[in-house]
Amino acid sequence: MLFHVRMNVKLPASMPAEEAARLKQVEKEYSQRLQREGKWRHIWRIAGQYANVSIFDVDSVEELHTLLTSLPLFPYMQIETMPLCRHPSSVREDDR
């Protein structure tokens, strides 16, 4: 199942810089592992914002929920998800 996921991050201004840097590093490692596993198919930064648009390829809504809530920055995110399906006008034979 493919999902379009938008993540907006808002770290508290009171968070120490060292803690923010540590969380970002752990987040990066986790997201790159999911990308290598094929679960996090694409990620794009939204210019001028601390936000991204991503495509996830998971087996279920429950799996997506588990992956997203496991993100180290999850407590500081506003997340919007949209399930995706193939458009009948697509010229592609697969989802790559």
Side-chain angles (χ1 to χ4, degrees):
M1 300 176 71
L2 295 177
F3 289 87
H4 168 280
V5 179
R6 179 180 172 141
M7 298 177 223
N8 298 314
V9 182
K10 185 162 175 91
L11 296 177
S14 62
M15 180 179 284
E18 303 80 29
E19 176 65 8
R22 186 191 68 75
L23 276 174
K24 290 175 188 179
Q25 182 59 38
V26 175
E27 178 93 6
K28 180 178 182 177
E29 292 167 6
Y30 179 64
S31 70
Q32 289 180 343
R33 179 174 60 85
L34 292 176
Q35 289 174 67
R36 285 189 290 277
E37 292 173 359
K39 298 291 182 183
W40 196 326
R41 296 272 297 269
H42 301 280
I43 182 170
W44 295 277
R45 173 171 285 160
I46 300 174
Q49 299 179 34
Y50 192 3
N52 73 73
V53 172
S54 296
I55 302 295
F56 282 79
D57 187 357
V58 294
D59 294 327
S60 67
V61 175
E62 291 80 11
E63 182 181 14
L64 178 66
H65 179 78
T66 299
L67 294 177
L68 294 176
T69 58
S70 297
L71 291 167
L73 292 174
F74 176 77
Y76 311 103
M77 290 181 174
Q78 176 187 11
I79 299 175
E80 298 175 9
T81 63
M82 290 184 278
L84 301 173
C85 61
R86 176 161 304 288
H87 194 285
S89 297
S90 176
V91 298
R92 306 277 181 248
E93 293 183 18
D94 60 23
D95 295 318
R96 282 182 265 156

